Amino acid sequence: MLVAERLGRRFGSRWLFRNLSFELGPGQVLAVTGSNGSGKSTLLRVIAGLMAPSEGRLERPGGIGYASLDLALYPSLTAQEHLAFSAELQECEARSHELLERVGLLGAGDLPAGRFSTGMRLRLKLALAIQTRPQLLLLDEPTASLDAAGRELVDGIVREQMLHGPVIVATNDPGDLRWATEEMRVGP
Protein backbone atom coordinates (compact mmCIF):
# COMPACT_ATOMS: atom_id res chain seq x y z
CA MET A 1 0.00 0.00 0.00
CA LEU A 2 1.16 3.50 -0.87
CA VAL A 3 -0.15 6.38 1.23
CA ALA A 4 0.50 10.06 0.51
CA GLU A 5 -0.85 12.73 2.84
CA ARG A 6 -0.72 16.43 1.96
CA LEU A 7 2.39 15.86 -0.14
CA GLY A 8 4.10 18.92 -1.59
CA ARG A 9 7.32 19.83 -3.35
CA ARG A 10 8.72 23.23 -4.13
CA PHE A 11 11.85 24.67 -5.66
CA GLY A 12 12.67 27.97 -4.02
CA SER A 13 9.37 29.80 -3.63
CA ARG A 14 7.66 27.95 -6.52
CA TRP A 15 5.41 25.05 -5.57
CA LEU A 16 5.16 22.33 -8.20
CA PHE A 17 2.42 20.58 -6.25
CA ARG A 18 0.83 20.82 -2.82
CA ASN A 19 -1.69 19.00 -0.66
CA LEU A 20 -1.68 15.79 -2.71
CA SER A 21 -3.32 12.97 -0.78
CA PHE A 22 -4.03 9.49 -2.09
CA GLU A 23 -3.83 5.79 -1.27
CA LEU A 24 -3.06 3.04 -3.75
CA GLY A 25 -3.10 -0.72 -3.39
CA PRO A 26 -2.78 -3.75 -5.65
CA GLY A 27 -4.77 -3.50 -8.85
CA GLN A 28 -4.79 0.28 -8.88
CA VAL A 29 -3.10 2.48 -11.47
CA LEU A 30 -2.78 6.20 -10.86
CA ALA A 31 -2.26 8.27 -14.01
CA VAL A 32 -0.55 11.57 -13.22
CA THR A 33 -1.14 14.12 -15.95
CA GLY A 34 -0.23 17.76 -16.46
CA SER A 35 1.60 20.05 -18.80
CA ASN A 36 5.36 19.92 -19.30
CA GLY A 37 7.07 21.27 -16.19
CA SER A 38 4.00 20.76 -13.99
CA GLY A 39 5.71 18.35 -11.58
CA LYS A 40 4.74 14.88 -12.86
CA SER A 41 8.31 13.57 -12.94
CA THR A 42 9.15 15.31 -9.67
CA LEU A 43 6.20 13.60 -7.97
CA LEU A 44 7.49 10.22 -9.14
CA ARG A 45 11.00 11.05 -7.90
CA VAL A 46 9.56 11.97 -4.49
CA ILE A 47 7.56 8.75 -4.32
CA ALA A 48 10.63 6.74 -5.39
CA GLY A 49 12.65 8.31 -2.58
CA LEU A 50 15.05 10.02 -4.99
CA MET A 51 13.96 13.45 -3.78
CA ALA A 52 12.54 14.54 -0.44
CA PRO A 53 9.09 16.12 -0.25
CA SER A 54 8.96 19.73 0.96
CA GLU A 55 5.91 18.90 3.03
CA GLY A 56 3.59 16.05 3.79
CA ARG A 57 3.96 12.40 4.68
CA LEU A 58 4.59 9.38 2.50
CA GLU A 59 4.33 5.68 3.35
CA ARG A 60 5.61 3.49 0.58
CA PRO A 61 6.12 -0.25 0.22
CA GLY A 62 9.60 -1.73 0.48
CA GLY A 63 10.18 -2.62 -3.15
CA ILE A 64 9.89 0.09 -5.80
CA GLY A 65 10.60 -0.21 -9.50
CA TYR A 66 11.21 3.02 -11.42
CA ALA A 67 11.63 3.66 -15.14
CA SER A 68 12.08 7.11 -16.62
CA LEU A 69 13.35 8.56 -19.87
CA ASP A 70 15.92 10.64 -18.00
CA LEU A 71 17.47 7.77 -16.05
CA ALA A 72 21.02 7.25 -17.25
CA LEU A 73 22.51 4.00 -18.46
CA TYR A 74 26.22 3.23 -18.62
CA PRO A 75 27.07 3.46 -22.35
CA SER A 76 29.91 0.91 -22.14
CA LEU A 77 27.93 -1.74 -20.21
CA THR A 78 25.89 -4.31 -22.08
CA ALA A 79 22.26 -4.96 -21.25
CA GLN A 80 23.29 -8.15 -19.42
CA GLU A 81 25.93 -6.25 -17.46
CA HIS A 82 23.37 -3.61 -16.46
CA LEU A 83 21.07 -6.30 -15.10
CA ALA A 84 23.90 -8.09 -13.29
CA PHE A 85 25.18 -4.85 -11.74
CA SER A 86 21.68 -3.78 -10.71
CA ALA A 87 20.99 -7.21 -9.17
CA GLU A 88 24.19 -7.01 -7.15
CA LEU A 89 23.32 -3.54 -5.84
CA GLN A 90 19.74 -4.52 -5.01
CA GLU A 91 20.67 -7.97 -3.71
CA CYS A 92 18.27 -9.79 -6.01
CA GLU A 93 18.46 -12.35 -8.79
CA ALA A 94 19.69 -10.89 -12.09
CA ARG A 95 17.21 -12.86 -14.26
CA SER A 96 19.03 -11.47 -17.32
CA HIS A 97 17.83 -14.01 -19.89
CA GLU A 98 14.23 -13.88 -18.64
CA LEU A 99 14.07 -10.08 -18.50
CA LEU A 100 15.83 -9.45 -21.80
CA GLU A 101 13.42 -11.86 -23.45
CA ARG A 102 10.48 -10.17 -21.68
CA VAL A 103 11.42 -6.73 -23.05
CA GLY A 104 12.44 -7.92 -26.52
CA LEU A 105 16.18 -7.39 -26.12
CA LEU A 106 17.40 -10.98 -25.95
CA GLY A 107 19.33 -10.65 -29.21
CA ALA A 108 20.92 -7.40 -28.02
CA GLY A 109 22.02 -8.54 -24.57
CA ASP A 110 25.72 -8.40 -25.47
CA LEU A 111 25.59 -4.96 -27.08
CA PRO A 112 26.78 -1.92 -25.14
CA ALA A 113 23.90 0.36 -24.17
CA GLY A 114 25.63 3.23 -25.94
CA ARG A 115 24.72 1.55 -29.23
CA PHE A 116 21.03 1.21 -28.33
CA SER A 117 18.29 3.24 -29.96
CA THR A 118 16.09 5.38 -27.72
CA GLY A 119 13.41 2.68 -27.74
CA MET A 120 15.92 -0.04 -26.85
CA ARG A 121 17.22 2.04 -23.94
CA LEU A 122 13.68 2.45 -22.65
CA ARG A 123 13.12 -1.31 -22.91
CA LEU A 124 16.26 -1.91 -20.83
CA LYS A 125 15.06 0.62 -18.25
CA LEU A 126 11.77 -1.30 -18.03
CA ALA A 127 13.67 -4.54 -17.44
CA LEU A 128 15.66 -2.87 -14.67
CA ALA A 129 12.45 -1.50 -13.12
CA ILE A 130 10.80 -4.92 -12.84
CA GLN A 131 13.94 -6.87 -11.95
CA THR A 132 13.18 -6.97 -8.21
CA ARG A 133 9.50 -7.87 -8.73
CA PRO A 134 8.58 -4.54 -7.09
CA GLN A 135 5.58 -3.92 -4.86
CA LEU A 136 5.16 -0.49 -6.48
CA LEU A 137 5.98 0.37 -10.08
CA LEU A 138 6.60 3.97 -11.17
CA LEU A 139 6.67 4.72 -14.90
CA ASP A 140 7.51 8.17 -16.24
CA GLU A 141 6.35 8.62 -19.85
CA PRO A 142 6.53 4.85 -20.38
CA THR A 143 5.44 4.71 -24.01
CA ALA A 144 7.41 7.70 -25.33
CA SER A 145 9.78 6.63 -28.13
CA LEU A 146 8.27 3.15 -28.37
CA ASP A 147 6.82 1.49 -31.44
CA ALA A 148 3.58 -0.52 -31.38
CA ALA A 149 5.34 -3.65 -30.07
CA GLY A 150 6.98 -1.60 -27.31
CA ARG A 151 3.62 -0.14 -26.32
CA GLU A 152 2.20 -3.66 -26.07
CA LEU A 153 5.18 -4.59 -23.90
CA VAL A 154 4.44 -1.74 -21.48
CA ASP A 155 0.77 -2.73 -21.47
CA GLY A 156 1.71 -6.27 -20.42
CA ILE A 157 4.09 -5.05 -17.71
CA VAL A 158 1.44 -2.72 -16.24
CA ARG A 159 -1.20 -5.47 -16.26
CA GLU A 160 1.18 -7.96 -14.59
CA GLN A 161 2.13 -5.42 -11.93
CA MET A 162 -1.53 -4.76 -11.14
CA LEU A 163 -1.83 -8.36 -9.91
CA HIS A 164 0.46 -7.73 -6.93
CA GLY A 165 0.93 -4.00 -6.48
CA PRO A 166 -0.03 -0.51 -7.60
CA VAL A 167 1.36 1.41 -10.56
CA ILE A 168 1.82 5.15 -11.03
CA VAL A 169 2.19 6.41 -14.59
CA ALA A 170 3.20 10.01 -15.33
CA THR A 171 2.09 10.76 -18.85
CA ASN A 172 0.80 13.20 -21.43
CA ASP A 173 -0.15 10.40 -23.81
CA PRO A 174 -3.94 9.89 -23.80
CA GLY A 175 -3.34 6.25 -24.78
CA ASP A 176 -1.61 5.62 -21.45
CA LEU A 177 -4.80 6.54 -19.61
CA ARG A 178 -6.31 3.17 -20.58
CA TRP A 179 -4.70 1.62 -17.51
CA ALA A 180 -5.85 4.27 -15.06
CA THR A 181 -8.18 3.37 -12.23
CA GLU A 182 -7.42 6.81 -10.76
CA GLU A 183 -6.29 10.06 -12.37
CA MET A 184 -4.59 13.11 -10.90
CA ARG A 185 -3.62 16.31 -12.64
CA VAL A 186 -0.68 18.29 -11.24
CA GLY A 187 0.30 21.88 -11.88
CA PRO A 188 -1.80 24.81 -12.96
PDB file of all heavy atoms in Angstrom, residues 2-25:
ATOM      1  N   LEU A   2       0.486   2.199  -0.815  1.00  0.00           N
ATOM      2  CA  LEU A   2       1.163   3.499  -0.873  1.00  0.00           C
ATOM      3  C   LEU A   2       0.203   4.538  -0.309  1.00  0.00           C
ATOM      4  O   LEU A   2      -0.957   4.594  -0.726  1.00  0.00           O
ATOM      5  CB  LEU A   2       1.519   3.847  -2.321  1.00  0.00           C
ATOM      6  CG  LEU A   2       2.055   5.255  -2.566  1.00  0.00           C
ATOM      7  CD1 LEU A   2       3.430   5.420  -1.951  1.00  0.00           C
ATOM      8  CD2 LEU A   2       2.092   5.549  -4.057  1.00  0.00           C
ATOM      9  N   VAL A   3       0.673   5.341   0.620  1.00  0.00           N
ATOM     10  CA  VAL A   3      -0.150   6.382   1.228  1.00  0.00           C
ATOM     11  C   VAL A   3       0.599   7.711   1.153  1.00  0.00           C
ATOM     12  O   VAL A   3       1.740   7.811   1.613  1.00  0.00           O
ATOM     13  CB  VAL A   3      -0.482   6.068   2.704  1.00  0.00           C
ATOM     14  CG1 VAL A   3      -1.321   7.175   3.314  1.00  0.00           C
ATOM     15  CG2 VAL A   3      -1.174   4.721   2.837  1.00  0.00           C
ATOM     16  N   ALA A   4      -0.041   8.699   0.559  1.00  0.00           N
ATOM     17  CA  ALA A   4       0.503  10.058   0.510  1.00  0.00           C
ATOM     18  C   ALA A   4      -0.489  10.983   1.196  1.00  0.00           C
ATOM     19  O   ALA A   4      -1.680  10.937   0.901  1.00  0.00           O
ATOM     20  CB  ALA A   4       0.712  10.495  -0.930  1.00  0.00           C
ATOM     21  N   GLU A   5       0.002  11.785   2.123  1.00  0.00           N
ATOM     22  CA  GLU A   5      -0.850  12.735   2.843  1.00  0.00           C
ATOM     23  C   GLU A   5      -0.281  14.136   2.720  1.00  0.00           C
ATOM     24  O   GLU A   5       0.845  14.394   3.142  1.00  0.00           O
ATOM     25  CB  GLU A   5      -0.954  12.361   4.323  1.00  0.00           C
ATOM     26  CG  GLU A   5      -1.700  11.073   4.565  1.00  0.00           C
ATOM     27  CD  GLU A   5      -1.790  10.722   6.047  1.00  0.00           C
ATOM     28  OE1 GLU A   5      -1.204  11.453   6.888  1.00  0.00           O
ATOM     29  OE2 GLU A   5      -2.428   9.702   6.355  1.00  0.00           O
ATOM     30  N   ARG A   6      -1.055  15.011   2.094  1.00  0.00           N
ATOM     31  CA  ARG A   6      -0.724  16.430   1.957  1.00  0.00           C
ATOM     32  C   ARG A   6       0.702  16.638   1.426  1.00  0.00           C
ATOM     33  O   ARG A   6       1.447  17.485   1.890  1.00  0.00           O
ATOM     34  CB  ARG A   6      -0.947  17.155   3.268  1.00  0.00           C
ATOM     35  CG  ARG A   6      -2.398  17.044   3.761  1.00  0.00           C
ATOM     36  CD  ARG A   6      -2.658  17.760   5.061  1.00  0.00           C
ATOM     37  NE  ARG A   6      -2.333  19.175   5.022  1.00  0.00           N
ATOM     38  CZ  ARG A   6      -3.109  20.136   4.513  1.00  0.00           C
ATOM     39  NH1 ARG A   6      -4.268  19.817   3.978  1.00  0.00           N
ATOM     40  NH2 ARG A   6      -2.725  21.396   4.548  1.00  0.00           N
ATOM     41  N   LEU A   7       1.053  15.850   0.436  1.00  0.00           N
ATOM     42  CA  LEU A   7       2.388  15.858  -0.144  1.00  0.00           C
ATOM     43  C   LEU A   7       2.600  17.126  -0.964  1.00  0.00           C
ATOM     44  O   LEU A   7       1.720  17.562  -1.710  1.00  0.00           O
ATOM     45  CB  LEU A   7       2.530  14.630  -1.045  1.00  0.00           C
ATOM     46  CG  LEU A   7       3.918  14.077  -1.296  1.00  0.00           C
ATOM     47  CD1 LEU A   7       4.607  13.703   0.009  1.00  0.00           C
ATOM     48  CD2 LEU A   7       3.813  12.861  -2.203  1.00  0.00           C
ATOM     49  N   GLY A   8       3.770  17.719  -0.824  1.00  0.00           N
ATOM     50  CA  GLY A   8       4.100  18.915  -1.589  1.00  0.00           C
ATOM     51  C   GLY A   8       5.580  18.976  -1.886  1.00  0.00           C
ATOM     52  O   GLY A   8       6.408  18.451  -1.143  1.00  0.00           O
ATOM     53  N   ARG A   9       5.914  19.631  -2.980  1.00  0.00           N
ATOM     54  CA  ARG A   9       7.320  19.827  -3.346  1.00  0.00           C
ATOM     55  C   ARG A   9       7.458  21.196  -4.000  1.00  0.00           C
ATOM     56  O   ARG A   9       6.681  21.578  -4.875  1.00  0.00           O
ATOM     57  CB  ARG A   9       7.774  18.743  -4.325  1.00  0.00           C
ATOM     58  CG  ARG A   9       9.183  18.905  -4.822  1.00  0.00           C
ATOM     59  CD  ARG A   9      10.212  18.777  -3.726  1.00  0.00           C
ATOM     60  NE  ARG A   9      11.518  19.225  -4.229  1.00  0.00           N
ATOM     61  CZ  ARG A   9      12.628  19.177  -3.555  1.00  0.00           C
ATOM     62  NH1 ARG A   9      12.646  18.702  -2.337  1.00  0.00           N
ATOM     63  NH2 ARG A   9      13.743  19.607  -4.077  1.00  0.00           N
ATOM     64  N   ARG A  10       8.451  21.918  -3.539  1.00  0.00           N
ATOM     65  CA  ARG A  10       8.722  23.230  -4.127  1.00  0.00           C
ATOM     66  C   ARG A  10      10.196  23.349  -4.432  1.00  0.00           C
ATOM     67  O   ARG A  10      11.041  22.654  -3.874  1.00  0.00           O
ATOM     68  CB  ARG A  10       8.277  24.352  -3.199  1.00  0.00           C
ATOM     69  CG  ARG A  10       9.140  24.526  -1.995  1.00  0.00           C
ATOM     70  CD  ARG A  10       8.693  25.719  -1.164  1.00  0.00           C
ATOM     71  NE  ARG A  10       9.537  25.808   0.000  1.00  0.00           N
ATOM     72  CZ  ARG A  10       9.198  26.380   1.099  1.00  0.00           C
ATOM     73  NH1 ARG A  10       8.012  26.934   1.222  1.00  0.00           N
ATOM     74  NH2 ARG A  10      10.038  26.430   2.110  1.00  0.00           N
ATOM     75  N   PHE A  11      10.483  24.280  -5.340  1.00  0.00           N
ATOM     76  CA  PHE A  11      11.846  24.672  -5.656  1.00  0.00           C
ATOM     77  C   PHE A  11      11.899  26.162  -5.418  1.00  0.00           C
ATOM     78  O   PHE A  11      11.223  26.930  -6.109  1.00  0.00           O
ATOM     79  CB  PHE A  11      12.195  24.323  -7.107  1.00  0.00           C
ATOM     80  CG  PHE A  11      12.296  22.844  -7.349  1.00  0.00           C
ATOM     81  CD1 PHE A  11      11.257  22.144  -7.930  1.00  0.00           C
ATOM     82  CD2 PHE A  11      13.430  22.144  -6.977  1.00  0.00           C
ATOM     83  CE1 PHE A  11      11.338  20.780  -8.144  1.00  0.00           C
ATOM     84  CE2 PHE A  11      13.527  20.779  -7.190  1.00  0.00           C
ATOM     85  CZ  PHE A  11      12.474  20.104  -7.769  1.00  0.00           C
ATOM     86  N   GLY A  12      12.659  26.564  -4.419  1.00  0.00           N
ATOM     87  CA  GLY A  12      12.668  27.970  -4.022  1.00  0.00           C
ATOM     88  C   GLY A  12      11.292  28.346  -3.515  1.00  0.00           C
ATOM     89  O   GLY A  12      10.728  27.677  -2.654  1.00  0.00           O
ATOM     90  N   SER A  13      10.710  29.389  -4.064  1.00  0.00           N
ATOM     91  CA  SER A  13       9.368  29.800  -3.630  1.00  0.00           C
ATOM     92  C   SER A  13       8.268  29.231  -4.527  1.00  0.00           C
ATOM     93  O   SER A  13       7.089  29.448  -4.273  1.00  0.00           O
ATOM     94  CB  SER A  13       9.276  31.339  -3.632  1.00  0.00           C
ATOM     95  OG  SER A  13       9.482  31.840  -4.941  1.00  0.00           O
ATOM     96  N   ARG A  14       8.645  28.494  -5.569  1.00  0.00           N
ATOM     97  CA  ARG A  14       7.662  27.953  -6.516  1.00  0.00           C
ATOM     98  C   ARG A  14       7.247  26.538  -6.131  1.00  0.00           C
ATOM     99  O   ARG A  14       8.063  25.625  -6.083  1.00  0.00           O
ATOM    100  CB  ARG A  14       8.254  27.941  -7.923  1.00  0.00           C
ATOM    101  CG  ARG A  14       7.298  27.395  -8.952  1.00  0.00           C
ATOM    102  CD  ARG A  14       7.895  27.448 -10.362  1.00  0.00           C
ATOM    103  NE  ARG A  14       6.983  26.831 -11.284  1.00  0.00           N
ATOM    104  CZ  ARG A  14       7.207  25.678 -11.903  1.00  0.00           C
ATOM    105  NH1 ARG A  14       8.333  25.037 -11.705  1.00  0.00           N
ATOM    106  NH2 ARG A  14       6.317  25.189 -12.733  1.00  0.00           N
ATOM    107  N   TRP A  15       5.963  26.364  -5.865  1.00  0.00           N
ATOM    108  CA  TRP A  15       5.409  25.046  -5.566  1.00  0.00           C
ATOM    109  C   TRP A  15       5.043  24.348  -6.866  1.00  0.00           C
ATOM    110  O   TRP A  15       4.316  24.894  -7.689  1.00  0.00           O
ATOM    111  CB  TRP A  15       4.151  25.171  -4.695  1.00  0.00           C
ATOM    112  CG  TRP A  15       4.464  25.544  -3.287  1.00  0.00           C
ATOM    113  CD1 TRP A  15       4.473  26.792  -2.749  1.00  0.00           C
ATOM    114  CD2 TRP A  15       4.814  24.649  -2.234  1.00  0.00           C
ATOM    115  NE1 TRP A  15       4.835  26.735  -1.427  1.00  0.00           N
ATOM    116  CE2 TRP A  15       5.039  25.428  -1.081  1.00  0.00           C
ATOM    117  CE3 TRP A  15       4.969  23.266  -2.143  1.00  0.00           C
ATOM    118  CZ2 TRP A  15       5.392  24.881   0.145  1.00  0.00           C
ATOM    119  CZ3 TRP A  15       5.329  22.711  -0.924  1.00  0.00           C
ATOM    120  CH2 TRP A  15       5.540  23.522   0.205  1.00  0.00           C
ATOM    121  N   LEU A  16       5.561  23.137  -7.043  1.00  0.00           N
ATOM    122  CA  LEU A  16       5.157  22.334  -8.204  1.00  0.00           C
ATOM    123  C   LEU A  16       3.821  21.653  -7.922  1.00  0.00           C
ATOM    124  O   LEU A  16       2.972  21.543  -8.793  1.00  0.00           O
ATOM    125  CB  LEU A  16       6.208  21.280  -8.538  1.00  0.00           C
ATOM    126  CG  LEU A  16       7.473  21.783  -9.178  1.00  0.00           C
ATOM    127  CD1 LEU A  16       8.428  20.635  -9.452  1.00  0.00           C
ATOM    128  CD2 LEU A  16       7.178  22.526 -10.463  1.00  0.00           C
ATOM    129  N   PHE A  17       3.687  21.163  -6.691  1.00  0.00           N
ATOM    130  CA  PHE A  17       2.421  20.581  -6.253  1.00  0.00           C
ATOM    131  C   PHE A  17       2.330  20.700  -4.744  1.00  0.00           C
ATOM    132  O   PHE A  17       3.349  20.812  -4.060  1.00  0.00           O
ATOM    133  CB  PHE A  17       2.276  19.112  -6.710  1.00  0.00           C
ATOM    134  CG  PHE A  17       3.428  18.220  -6.318  1.00  0.00           C
ATOM    135  CD1 PHE A  17       3.486  17.614  -5.066  1.00  0.00           C
ATOM    136  CD2 PHE A  17       4.457  17.972  -7.217  1.00  0.00           C
ATOM    137  CE1 PHE A  17       4.541  16.790  -4.724  1.00  0.00           C
ATOM    138  CE2 PHE A  17       5.525  17.151  -6.876  1.00  0.00           C
ATOM    139  CZ  PHE A  17       5.568  16.557  -5.618  1.00  0.00           C
ATOM    140  N   ARG A  18       1.095  20.700  -4.260  1.00  0.00           N
ATOM    141  CA  ARG A  18       0.831  20.823  -2.819  1.00  0.00           C
ATOM    142  C   ARG A  18      -0.427  20.071  -2.474  1.00  0.00           C
ATOM    143  O   ARG A  18      -1.330  19.926  -3.290  1.00  0.00           O
ATOM    144  CB  ARG A  18       0.600  22.289  -2.427  1.00  0.00           C
ATOM    145  CG  ARG A  18       1.847  23.041  -2.139  1.00  0.00           C
ATOM    146  CD  ARG A  18       1.529  24.361  -1.538  1.00  0.00           C
ATOM    147  NE  ARG A  18       1.845  24.322  -0.120  1.00  0.00           N
ATOM    148  CZ  ARG A  18       1.833  25.362   0.665  1.00  0.00           C
ATOM    149  NH1 ARG A  18       1.476  26.539   0.200  1.00  0.00           N
ATOM    150  NH2 ARG A  18       2.156  25.253   1.923  1.00  0.00           N
ATOM    151  N   ASN A  19      -0.482  19.619  -1.227  1.00  0.00           N
ATOM    152  CA  ASN A  19      -1.687  19.001  -0.661  1.00  0.00           C
ATOM    153  C   ASN A  19      -2.186  17.802  -1.456  1.00  0.00           C
ATOM    154  O   ASN A  19      -3.392  17.582  -1.564  1.00  0.00           O
ATOM    155  CB  ASN A  19      -2.810  20.035  -0.523  1.00  0.00           C
ATOM    156  CG  ASN A  19      -2.433  21.138   0.430  1.00  0.00           C
ATOM    157  OD1 ASN A  19      -1.876  20.880   1.500  1.00  0.00           O
ATOM    158  ND2 ASN A  19      -2.687  22.374   0.042  1.00  0.00           N
ATOM    159  N   LEU A  20      -1.270  17.008  -2.002  1.00  0.00           N
ATOM    160  CA  LEU A  20      -1.679  15.795  -2.707  1.00  0.00           C
ATOM    161  C   LEU A  20      -1.857  14.669  -1.695  1.00  0.00           C
ATOM    162  O   LEU A  20      -0.935  14.356  -0.942  1.00  0.00           O
ATOM    163  CB  LEU A  20      -0.631  15.384  -3.743  1.00  0.00           C
ATOM    164  CG  LEU A  20      -0.372  16.341  -4.891  1.00  0.00           C
ATOM    165  CD1 LEU A  20       0.650  15.745  -5.851  1.00  0.00           C
ATOM    166  CD2 LEU A  20      -1.650  16.681  -5.623  1.00  0.00           C
ATOM    167  N   SER A  21      -3.029  14.087  -1.677  1.00  0.00           N
ATOM    168  CA  SER A  21      -3.321  12.970  -0.780  1.00  0.00           C
ATOM    169  C   SER A  21      -3.968  11.852  -1.588  1.00  0.00           C
ATOM    170  O   SER A  21      -4.906  12.104  -2.352  1.00  0.00           O
ATOM    171  CB  SER A  21      -4.260  13.399   0.342  1.00  0.00           C
ATOM    172  OG  SER A  21      -3.643  14.371   1.163  1.00  0.00           O
ATOM    173  N   PHE A  22      -3.456  10.648  -1.421  1.00  0.00           N
ATOM    174  CA  PHE A  22      -4.035   9.489  -2.094  1.00  0.00           C
ATOM    175  C   PHE A  22      -3.513   8.207  -1.458  1.00  0.00           C
ATOM    176  O   PHE A  22      -2.501   8.214  -0.753  1.00  0.00           O
ATOM    177  CB  PHE A  22      -3.738   9.504  -3.599  1.00  0.00           C
ATOM    178  CG  PHE A  22      -2.271   9.597  -3.949  1.00  0.00           C
ATOM    179  CD1 PHE A  22      -1.500   8.464  -4.111  1.00  0.00           C
ATOM    180  CD2 PHE A  22      -1.675  10.832  -4.123  1.00  0.00           C
ATOM    181  CE1 PHE A  22      -0.153   8.549  -4.437  1.00  0.00           C
ATOM    182  CE2 PHE A  22      -0.327  10.937  -4.456  1.00  0.00           C
ATOM    183  CZ  PHE A  22       0.428   9.782  -4.608  1.00  0.00           C
ATOM    184  N   GLU A  23      -4.233   7.124  -1.686  1.00  0.00           N
ATOM    185  CA  GLU A  23      -3.829   5.786  -1.269  1.00  0.00           C
ATOM    186  C   GLU A  23      -3.983   4.871  -2.472  1.00  0.00           C
ATOM    187  O   GLU A  23      -4.962   4.971  -3.203  1.00  0.00           O
ATOM    188  CB  GLU A  23      -4.709   5.271  -0.131  1.00  0.00           C
ATOM    189  CG  GLU A  23      -4.536   5.992   1.168  1.00  0.00           C
ATOM    190  CD  GLU A  23      -5.373   5.378   2.293  1.00  0.00           C
ATOM    191  OE1 GLU A  23      -5.872   4.242   2.123  1.00  0.00           O
ATOM    192  OE2 GLU A  23      -5.518   6.033   3.323  1.00  0.00           O
ATOM    193  N   LEU A  24      -3.009   3.993  -2.652  1.00  0.00           N
ATOM    194  CA  LEU A  24      -3.057   3.035  -3.749  1.00  0.00           C
ATOM    195  C   LEU A  24      -2.678   1.659  -3.243  1.00  0.00           C
ATOM    196  O   LEU A  24      -1.744   1.520  -2.458  1.00  0.00           O
ATOM    197  CB  LEU A  24      -2.085   3.419  -4.868  1.00  0.00           C
ATOM    198  CG  LEU A  24      -2.353   4.680  -5.653  1.00  0.00           C
ATOM    199  CD1 LEU A  24      -1.194   4.945  -6.600  1.00  0.00           C
ATOM    200  CD2 LEU A  24      -3.650   4.566  -6.424  1.00  0.00           C
ATOM    201  N   GLY A  25      -3.401   0.665  -3.717  1.00  0.00           N
ATOM    202  CA  GLY A  25      -3.099  -0.718  -3.386  1.00  0.00           C
ATOM    203  C   GLY A  25      -3.030  -1.555  -4.646  1.00  0.00           C
ATOM    204  O   GLY A  25      -3.152  -1.045  -5.771  1.00  0.00           O
TER     205      GLY A  25
END
